[in-house]
Amino acid sequence: MIQSKNRVFVLILISALITACAGSPPAPTITPAPPTAVIAPAAPPTAAPAPTPTVDQTPVTLVYWAEPRFLNVKGKEAQTAEVGDYEKLLAEEFMRLHPNVTIQVETLTFDDLAQKVPAAIAAGAAPDLLKDFLGRTSGYAWQGLLEPLEAAIPPDELADFNPDLIAQYTINGQLHGLPLYFWVNTLFGNKSLFVESGAENLVPLDDGEWTMEEFEAAMRAAAKEGQVWPLGLQVGTEQGDYRYLAFFWGMGAEMYANGDYSRVALNSPQGVAALEKLVDWNDGGLIEPGAPSIAWGDLRALLFNRQVGLVGLGLSGFASVAKAKSDGTLTEPWEPFVAMYPHAGGVDSGGLAAGPTGIVVFKQQTEAERYWAIEFARFLASRELIAEYAVNSGQFPTRQSVGNPLPDDANYQRVLEWMQTWGVEDMGLSSPHYYEVRVLLFPQLQAAFLHEKTPAQALADYEAAANAVLAGP
């Protein structure tokens, strides 16, 4: 139910954005305690005055790995035409300010972020800085691999970050990274497909809410055997798992009950009902062929080729559609819209998941390397860049002084209102075994989709494996 979700996070965010838009000081009047749905200390860390060491200006080389987020940044289109260009541009700007620092930038695919980084750590060759999802960086923090930042950030600078996000980034009393932006996953689709099938009235274009029955009716109306599969779903990976978990949440299931990270809670009557429904939709041709193994790039291609009507994507899809139309790769009718995930009767869930991306610094060998790595992290987390990230990613800012960077964007405002009304779901991002548990679910979903296991058996097997991990040795 909505009361069990991360409501404090949402209310702080809404307060900051609305206040800033009204022209008042953006800082909230109170700082609530962090939500119970995250593992965090009772309050964010108290930052000591930032040290002012005498740092020698001998050359320092830093390796910076980043996620592939930005393309065609507004006002810098010619310089950011390829994935990775933006990160290199920012590094070049920092190096101009600090000629003694050399930054080697590499942009990793999302698959590589989950595989290459752990392999590099195991080989003793971790990057100096990493920009990635909290669900992965929290694991590195629990392993003690990252530099603590709370004493290196000036107090007034630290206070400008959303306090709940700072709490989520605080593990074992140490601030392990600086949050840069956060996404909210919603359904994103092509209204034109539903209009052409006569199902426009079944799509919640006004308030974004639909029941499971309404959602299924819209899908059945839009489906064309062998040609159009209304729902695109990627089941064969833990990446983007919130896209399929949203249907579990919509049925009233939870990953963890009331923030208790000692046991998973997905194997419940509601969870089994959700998986049964997904398998039924897959068998009935409402989900694209190959869902248990399809790659994300292939699923996106089906979406933009008008063979799939809806996927979990969120606001970033609007920029993708606009670019495809401008470069001529998208010529057929394609009118984007966002909606919440469907919910069963009596379940207060929009299936919304929120995930922050931040910058972390791995342990450094020398004080000079540590100083300059943290300075670069602060540079990347500056107010001006955080505003630019939000505008160009369709995500939300992490510093309160930024306010609402897109006040004229009706879809951006719509998602803000959904978060305020429906809350966001708890994925356990800061839990110590987040990634270990995360990778255990999708093989069981694959087995259910392929009819190798019943939905009940698949979730029971997931529960046993996950709880064994959570119980420890």
Side-chain angles (χ1 to χ4, degrees):
M1 298 296 289
I2 197 164
Q3 291 80 7
S4 70
K5 298 173 192 166
N6 193 343
R7 299 283 293 160
V8 176
F9 171 80
V10 174
L11 294 175
I12 292 174
L13 168 73
I14 296 293
S15 173
L17 294 181
I18 291 176
T19 305
C21 288
S24 304
T29 56
I30 59 171
T31 302
T36 57
V38 294
I39 292 179
T46 301
T52 55
T54 301
V55 179
D56 100 33
Q57 299 294 314
T58 55
V60 169
T61 298
L62 301 173
V63 175
Y64 170 40
W65 290 357
E67 63 169 19
R69 180 68 57 186
F70 295 99
L71 192 67
N72 296 315
V73 172
K74 293 179 181 178
K76 304 174 182 177
E77 289 86 354
Q79 300 162 287
T80 57
E82 302 293 335
V83 171
D85 287 350
Y86 182 58
E87 285 72 22
K88 291 176 182 175
L89 187 67
L90 296 183
E92 289 167 3
E93 183 178 343
F94 186 83
M95 289 187 285
R96 279 194 298 271
L97 295 172
H98 307 287
N100 64 303
V101 179
T102 299
I103 301 173
Q104 299 172 354
V105 181
E106 183 176 352
T107 303
L108 306 184
T109 67
F110 287 108
D111 285 340
D112 279 346
L113 285 164
Q115 299 168 13
K116 184 173 180 177
V117 177
I121 291 170
D128 298 293
L129 297 103
L130 174 68
K131 182 176 68 170
D132 197 8
F133 177 48
L134 172 61
R136 283 185 285 268
T137 63
S138 63
Y140 308 141
W142 282 106
Q143 295 174 60
L145 300 173
L146 304 178
E147 292 283 357
L149 302 181
E150 64 275 4
I153 311 300
D156 58 341
E157 184 177 321
L158 190 62
D160 189 34
F161 286 90
N162 182 291
D164 181 71
L165 288 173
I166 291 299
Q168 291 190 57
Y169 272 84
T170 300
I171 290 175
N172 283 337
Q174 296 183 333
L175 181 64
H176 86 272
L178 294 175
L180 302 178
Y181 43 86
F182 66 94
W183 48 256
V184 176
N185 179 60
T186 68
L187 283 172
F188 176 84
N190 181 3
K191 174 184 170 183
S192 302
L193 283 182
F194 292 92
V195 171
E196 292 163 13
S197 63
E200 180 181 6
N201 64 314
L202 299 175
V203 178
L205 300 174
D206 48 359
D207 61 2
E209 178 195 355
W210 40 11
T211 65
M212 285 287 178
E213 292 76 17
E214 292 167 339
F215 180 77
E216 185 169 330
M219 288 201 300
R220 293 194 183 282
K224 293 182 181 178
E225 186 175 357
Q227 299 179 56
V228 175
W229 301 272
L231 177 60
L233 202 63
Q234 183 188 24
V235 177
T237 177
E238 81 283 357
Q239 299 301 306
D241 54 0
Y242 39 83
R243 297 184 178 107
Y244 48 74
L245 284 171
F247 293 98
F248 287 84
W249 295 325
M251 289 296 290
E254 295 179 288
M255 276 294 293
Y256 300 95
N258 300 316
D260 176 7
Y261 298 130
S262 66
R263 296 182 60 82
V264 295
L266 203 61
N267 183 27
S268 64
Q270 297 89 341
V272 172
L275 186 50
E276 288 174 343
K277 186 168 287 292
L278 289 174
V279 170
D280 179 63
W281 289 347
N282 186 63
D283 293 346
L286 302 183
I287 296 174
E288 87 287 348
S293 59
I294 195 168
W296 175 242
D298 295 332
L299 184 55
R300 279 176 60 99
L302 290 176
L303 175 69
F304 291 116
N305 288 337
R306 291 168 42 92
Q307 294 172 278
V308 159
L310 288 162
V311 299
L313 185 59
L315 294 171
S316 63
F318 288 94
S320 298
V321 170
K323 181 180 184 300
K325 287 183 176 180
S326 67
D327 64 21
T329 58
L330 193 59
T331 57
E332 294 187 75
W334 223 111
E335 187 177 353
F337 75 98
V338 287
M340 289 184 286
Y341 284 84
H343 63 87
V347 176
D348 295 322
S349 174
L352 304 177
T357 290
I359 184 75
V360 301
V361 177
F362 281 86
K363 294 284 189 181
Q364 298 295 300
Q365 297 293 318
T366 70
E367 180 57 32
E369 290 168 339
R370 177 182 180 276
Y371 176 82
W372 287 113
I374 293 176
E375 285 299 293
F376 184 47
R378 289 179 61 200
F379 170 82
L380 294 175
S382 66
R383 178 187 181 280
E384 295 74 17
L385 288 181
I386 281 177
E388 189 166 74
Y389 301 151
V391 167
N392 287 279
S393 66
Q395 298 198 30
F396 297 88
T398 57
R399 291 185 68 154
Q400 299 172 96
S401 60
V402 172
N404 182 348
L406 296 169
D408 299 323
D409 187 326
N411 290 302
Y412 196 87
Q413 184 64 33
R414 185 174 293 122
V415 175
L416 282 174
E417 292 169 357
W418 293 345
M419 285 193 289
Q420 183 180 31
T421 302
W422 295 86
V424 295
E425 301 290 348
D426 176 20
M427 297 186 289
L429 297 180
S430 295
S431 61
H433 298 289
Y434 170 74
Y435 187 74
E436 296 166 86
V437 169
R438 187 186 194 194
V439 298
L440 297 175
L441 179 57
F442 79 84
Q444 302 299 335
L445 301 187
Q446 286 177 310
F449 269 60
L450 295 171
H451 294 282
E452 297 170 352
K453 295 182 180 181
T454 66
Q457 186 61 57
L459 290 185
D461 290 350
Y462 162 70
E463 179 182 52
N467 287 343
V469 169
L470 295 171

